[in-house]
Amino acid sequence: MDVNNPIVTPSVRKIGGRCLLNGVEVPFVSFDVDTNSYRGASTFNLTLAPSALPASMGMLNYWAVQTTIKVELSVMIITDSGTDEKKLIVGNIDNWQFDPARFEITADGRDFTALLIDAKSAGESFKNYTSSQIATMLAERHGLTPVVTATTGRFGEFYQIDSAHLTGEQTEWDLLTTLAGIENFTTYIDGNNLYFQPVPDPAKANNYVIRWQPPGALSYPQCNISDDLQFSRALTISKGVTVEVLSWNSKRKNKQFMASYPKYAKSVNPGSSTAKTQVYRIIRNGLSPESANALAQSVYKNIVQHEMKFSGSTAGDNLLTPQTLVRIEGTQSPFDQIYYCDSVRRSLNWDSGYTMSISGKNHSPALDVSS
């Protein structure tokens, strides 16, 4: 289903913003929210005017004594059809600065993904729990609401596949994203909810449409995005690429195995024999060697032969998320295809209003990339 209408029609809208500090609504100057896909925390930057803050939020009696400041940032789009309000991020401030000459307080922080990123799980045993049980435990440990689909495989089975990823000095978020890869799940935090669910079928997933219309009846092109729309394609990847598929299958004598494609990766740098290849690792339980090899080859071809990226900016809306696929059409080029969203950066300020910049690529960001 398409979540937006790519045909732009003249309209008038009003934009409003909301900022809460520890549950108290306060005036603000501007904010930016960068919503990232999969492994990273979403981040925010916030600018406040101390003179506009409540008297109880003075520099000495509030900012100097707070140990945790929870921030909630929302945007409202008001049109003839009604009000669309979306909470863009909920998280804690990591750093704040006071600039007395400019009469400003600036702050930056991360969403509640940071709670798991900053928590170590080394030495903790989860062997008797399923992936979904672990996700629920970690969510509740940090006061988050688990939105979790039940799984059956136990951690002790997966532990045998990839001990390098499931042992050692790792964070709780590393553990959760690794388990998501094993289960072919996606995991992310939105507001106070932790999601751990199957990866949506791309054929059935929601699409955000960017439609380019070349000059024709009109002497200039049209698009529902600004003129900074850009595309790139990597004809060669300087380090070379290897795709590894790790799997565990209880029906096989050798329960754990790895398929690699190409089997003998070579550097594409002339005269270089020491260059490291870029490794894309996929952990998928229950495969046969044949299906693992087929998956490795398919992903390899997708990356090397069709490594395409796009970026651009447009007026802000509350529709696009990193979990939404972006479909580009109308360029009459190989770039007309589906892309996975890398990030969505939304900005709200007095000068430029509500704007949005996006970027994406044509293979899933869930792939584990190492070099």
Side-chain angles (χ1 to χ4, degrees):
M1 183 182 73
D2 295 343
V3 300
N4 69 317
N5 183 359
I7 301 175
V8 179
T9 57
S11 62
V12 176
R13 66 178 193 169
K14 296 180 180 179
I15 303 296
R18 192 187 305 273
C19 173
L20 276 68
L21 300 181
N22 285 341
V24 178
E25 186 170 354
V26 300
F28 65 93
V29 177
S30 65
F31 63 70
D32 301 312
V33 176
D34 198 343
T35 309
N36 295 311
S37 60
Y38 200 67
R39 290 189 178 273
S42 295
T43 61
F44 65 86
N45 291 281
L46 173 65
T47 301
L48 302 165
S51 59
L53 295 176
S56 59
M57 290 187 175
M59 186 58 59
L60 295 177
N61 62 352
Y62 185 86
W63 290 91
V65 299
Q66 296 296 319
T67 56
T68 301
I69 303 177
K70 177 182 174 182
V71 172
E72 300 177 55
L73 301 175
S74 304
V75 167
M76 293 162 286
I77 302 176
I78 305 171
T79 62
D80 291 339
S81 59
T83 300
D84 175 21
E85 181 171 1
K86 180 179 177 61
K87 188 175 292 184
L88 299 182
I89 196 168
V90 181
N92 294 325
I93 290 177
D94 287 328
N95 304 283
W96 66 271
Q97 303 83 35
F98 175 47
D99 190 339
R102 301 184 63 181
F103 308 102
E104 284 184 350
I105 293 174
T106 56
D108 62 78
R110 296 168 292 168
D111 71 354
F112 286 149
T113 307
L115 300 177
L116 283 80
I117 291 175
D118 295 342
K120 301 291 185 180
S121 66
E124 188 170 3
S125 176
F126 295 100
K127 289 187 178 181
N128 293 323
Y129 296 97
T130 65
S131 298
S132 57
Q133 289 173 332
I134 295 171
T136 300
M137 291 168 57
L138 296 179
E140 294 175 344
R141 179 179 296 179
H142 296 287
L144 301 172
T145 302
V147 184
V148 175
T149 300
T151 59
T152 56
R154 295 188 180 276
F155 181 86
E157 299 168 348
F158 304 143
Y159 185 89
Q160 300 301 321
I161 312 177
D162 194 21
S163 58
H165 278 66
L166 299 178
T167 60
E169 196 68 19
Q170 64 178 351
T171 69
E172 292 178 354
W173 188 244
D174 290 334
L175 171 63
L176 197 57
T177 55
T178 300
L179 290 174
I182 291 172
E183 301 284 2
N184 196 25
F185 271 38
T186 181
T187 185
Y188 60 95
I189 290 176
D190 185 6
N192 293 295
N193 297 327
L194 186 150
Y195 291 85
F196 189 78
Q197 299 174 334
V199 173
D201 182 352
K204 301 178 181 178
N206 290 336
N207 284 191
Y208 187 94
V209 183
I210 295 175
R211 180 176 297 168
W212 176 269
Q213 184 176 330
L218 298 175
S219 60
Y220 50 85
Q222 300 176 76
C223 190
N224 57 323
I225 198 168
S226 300
D227 60 1
D228 60 354
L229 178 63
Q230 293 184 340
F231 299 98
S232 65
R233 179 177 183 181
L235 296 180
T236 59
I237 299 178
S238 59
K239 290 184 178 181
V241 169
T242 300
V243 176
E244 295 178 349
V245 177
L246 281 73
S247 188
W248 186 93
N249 193 323
S250 60
K251 297 180 180 180
R252 287 178 46 80
K253 181 178 180 180
N254 296 323
K255 292 183 173 60
Q256 62 189 67
F257 62 91
M258 182 181 72
S260 178
Y261 190 89
K263 291 185 179 297
Y264 305 102
K266 297 180 180 179
S267 167
V268 297
N269 292 331
S272 172
S273 59
T274 59
K276 297 180 180 179
T277 63
Q278 189 174 21
V279 179
Y280 288 77
R281 169 172 283 192
I282 306 169
I283 304 174
R284 193 75 78 247
N285 191 34
L287 299 179
S288 66
E290 293 77 17
S291 59
N293 276 307
L295 177 60
Q297 185 172 355
S298 174
V299 173
Y300 175 86
K301 289 182 177 179
N302 183 38
I303 294 171
V304 176
Q305 297 180 13
H306 305 286
E307 171 69 352
M308 299 182 182
K309 298 180 180 180
F310 85 94
S311 63
S313 63
T314 184
D317 62 42
N318 294 337
L319 302 173
L320 180 61
T321 73
Q323 288 73 47
T324 309
L325 298 180
V326 177
R327 187 177 81 247
I328 293 179
E329 55 187 37
T331 68
Q332 300 177 19
S333 74
F335 293 104
D336 286 348
Q337 61 171 353
I338 295 290
Y339 295 83
Y340 291 87
C341 197
D342 276 331
S343 69
V344 184
R345 182 178 180 86
R346 291 179 167 91
S347 301
L348 180 61
N349 61 60
W350 289 99
D351 295 329
S352 57
Y354 187 33
T355 58
M356 181 171 73
S357 59
I358 59 179
S359 64
K361 56 189 174 185
N362 73 321
H363 64 77
S364 173
L367 291 175
D368 180 12
V369 184
S370 58
S371 59

